[in-house]
């Protein structure tokens, strides 16, 4: 998922898309608000804290896996690495160090943060052309002219694709194929199906950081959309939906509750939920099938010793 960074929350104070998604989502049945709205300033800080939790295995598992397999990545010299939703990824330097590309194109919606991390990377990797693109990669992304003739490696880590439904995921993979062009490669991180005993605590940790991350959405609605939602009338829920192969996050009303958002009245009964996130988990075949549906041919796949997370290299 694309992350907003410190200082950026202010920009969304009047975001009409946030307003529309919240008002429509609260009126819908079942009630649902897209997960992209978690990432205001506080939400981004909480997400960073989540990635360091003992229960949240994906970040450290993928980072260790990338360190291990990076030398095996067969990427042509002089390539351009294009990272989708670069955020504050600590994984990028690992890839840049072992591939030694000619150019690095981080794409992120968070302009200030994107420019800052591009400056830091340019300082750490002298000789590398760092060409940030401020864009929402859910819309068409124009790549910089400087990388036009270069072989491309798309990088989409973190199992961010899991936060999309299958239709959105396939659409995005197809769009990436068009943007990166003929002969491109894609290195994508995908979280694997595993026991709910591992999955549920990863999204409902003992310290309550994920609960705070989820509840922060209500706080954001109160702050930015003149809401009167009583946060103490809601609790965080993380549920494994086996049929849909995903962790679902919900905010559950613990009592009957009435509140307003931008002057509109809403009421919920005890036990009713607002669905706030899906995090899909993939089997080996399902992951490959989705890549193929998105126009990519998987060529290599690596996983950690426990088989919890996979990195897949695919060709256009
Ligand atoms: C950003 N995304 C891949 C995270 C995930 O695991 O689905 C978001 C997250 N939600 C709760 N914890 C982490």
């Amino acid at each position: 998922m694309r992350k907003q960074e410190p200082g950026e929350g202010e920009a969304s104070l009047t975001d009409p898309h946030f307003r529309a998604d919240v008002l429509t989502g609260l009126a819908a049945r079942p009630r649902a608000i897209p997960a992209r709205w978690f990432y205001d300033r506080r939400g981004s800080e909480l997400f960073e804290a989540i990635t360091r939790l003992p229960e949240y295995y994906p970040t450290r598992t993928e980072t260790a896996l990338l360190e291990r397999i990076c030398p095996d990545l067969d990427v042509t010299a002089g390539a351009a690495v294009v990272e989708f939703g670069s955020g504050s990824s600590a994984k990028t330097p690992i890839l840049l160090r072992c591939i030694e590309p000619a150019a690095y194109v981080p794409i992120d919606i968070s302009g200030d943060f994107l420019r800052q991390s591009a400056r830091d990377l340019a300082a750490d990797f002298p000789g590398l052309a760092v060409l940030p693109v401020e864009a929402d990669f859910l819309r068409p992304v124009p790549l910089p002219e400087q990388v036009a003739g270069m072989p491309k490696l798309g990088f989409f880590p973190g199992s961010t694709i899991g936060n999309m439904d299958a239709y959105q995921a396939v659409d995005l993979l197809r769009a990436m194929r068009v943007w990166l062009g003929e002969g491109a490669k894609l290195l994508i991180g995908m979280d694997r199906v595993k026991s709910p005993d591992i999955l549920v605590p990863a999204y409902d940790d003992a310290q309550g950081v994920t609960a705070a991350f989820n509840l922060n959405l209500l706080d954001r609605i109160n702050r930015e959309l003149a809401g009167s939602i009583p946060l103490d009338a809601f609790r965080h829920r993380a549920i494994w939906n086996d049929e849909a192969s995903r962790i679902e996050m919900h905010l559950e009303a613990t009592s009957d509750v009435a509140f307003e958002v931008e002057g509109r009245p809403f009421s919920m009964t005890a036990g009713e939920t607002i669905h706030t996130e899906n995090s899909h988990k993939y089997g080996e075949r399902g992951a490959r099938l989705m890549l193929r549906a998105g126009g990519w041919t998987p060529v290599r796949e690596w996983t950690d010793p426990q088989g919890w997370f996979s990195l897949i290299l695919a060709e256009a």
Side-chain angles (χ1 to χ4, degrees), residues 1-3 38-39 47 50 56 58 158-163 191 202-203 210 213 249 277-281:
M1 179 60 55
R2 201 180 43 251
K3 296 181 281 300
F38 280 140
Y39 301 94
F47 178 70
I50 286 173
Y56 192 75
S159 202
T160 299
I161 195 149
N163 296 129
D191 198 9
Y203 292 82
T210 314
F213 174 70
M249 295 212 315
E277 187 181 62
N278 290 319
S279 192
H280 292 88
K281 310 300 169 190

Side-chain angles (χ1 to χ4, degrees), residues 286-300:
R288 289 201 290 265
L289 187 64
M290 194 168 74
L291 281 162
R292 286 185 189 280
W296 294 90
T297 306
V299 287
R300 278 197 83 169

Side-chain angles (χ1 to χ4, degrees), residues 96 104 116-131:
L96 298 181
Y104 170 60
Q116 182 55 52
S117 54
R119 274 194 294 273
D120 293 347
L121 273 171
D124 290 348
F125 292 87
L128 174 72
V130 181
L131 308 164

Side-chain angles (χ1 to χ4, degrees), residues 115 275 307:
R115 281 182 287 277
H275 188 167

